[in-house]
Amino acid sequence: MDCLFCKIIAGEIPSKKVFENDKVYAFEDISPMAKDHYLFVSKTHTKNVNETPTELISDIYFGIKEFTQDKNLESSGFRVVTNVNQHGGQTIFHTHFHVLGGEQLKGFGS
Ligand code: AMP
Ligand code: ZN
């Protein structure tokens, strides 16, 4: 399958890995929108969050929770975003969650 994130997970395209378990892979976003910007993806290819079984979504979120607790992002705070299709701004059609933090984030009322 011609999917950039599948190639990253397979190690065919380099990435800066920050977390991995048997179901989830996470790496630094190549074009960060915040001081810390990571992408959490399922190792199983699905197109977007609406097309993903809830069990897989919870696997991804388990990774996010473990990582943000380990990296002390939880106390300062962080944001999780997932984009769906065109109006959502999705450009890579392999389900992923953006994890943003490391500084005061703007938007959503702040
Ligand atoms: P989205 O627009 O929600 O589909 O998010 C796709 C994200 O993938 C963007 O934030 C891009 O900066 C990021 N991205 C694209 N190519 C790479 C890459 N090779 N390595 C890391 N992040 C990437
Ligand atoms: Zn994929």
Side-chain angles (χ1 to χ4, degrees):
M1 182 182 299
D2 194 23
C3 169
L4 178 70
F5 287 177
C6 281
K7 287 178 181 161
I8 284 178
I9 292 161
E12 292 163 16
I13 290 175
S15 67
K16 291 188 179 165
K17 180 172 90 169
V18 296
F19 177 91
E20 183 173 15
N21 65 22
D22 57 332
K23 306 232 173 71
V24 178
Y25 187 82
F27 52 101
E28 291 181 7
D29 195 295
I30 205 165
S31 181
M33 307 275 285
K35 192 162 170 288
D36 294 334
H37 186 170
Y38 311 108
L39 299 172
F40 278 72
V41 306
S42 164
K43 287 184 175 177
T44 306
H45 179 93
T46 58
K47 185 179 164 214
N48 62 45
V49 71
N50 272 18
E51 311 243 334
T52 304
T54 47
E55 198 183 308
L56 265 187
I57 294 169
S58 80
D59 288 335
I60 300 170
Y61 203 83
F62 179 84
I64 292 173
K65 186 174 168 184
E66 198 168 287
F67 174 79
T68 52
Q69 287 176 337
D70 283 356
K71 293 282 169 194
N72 257 344
L73 274 169
E74 189 182 81
S75 51
S76 48
F78 63 94
R79 181 175 293 159
V80 179
V81 174
T82 191
N83 298 324
V84 176
N85 288 337
Q86 188 180 350
H87 282 185
Q90 186 176 10
T91 58
I92 309 279
F93 293 92
H94 179 128
T95 305
H96 56 280
F97 288 77
H98 298 255
V99 173
L100 302 130
E103 62 181 323
Q104 182 60 56
L105 301 172
K106 301 289 183 208
F108 296 99
S110 56

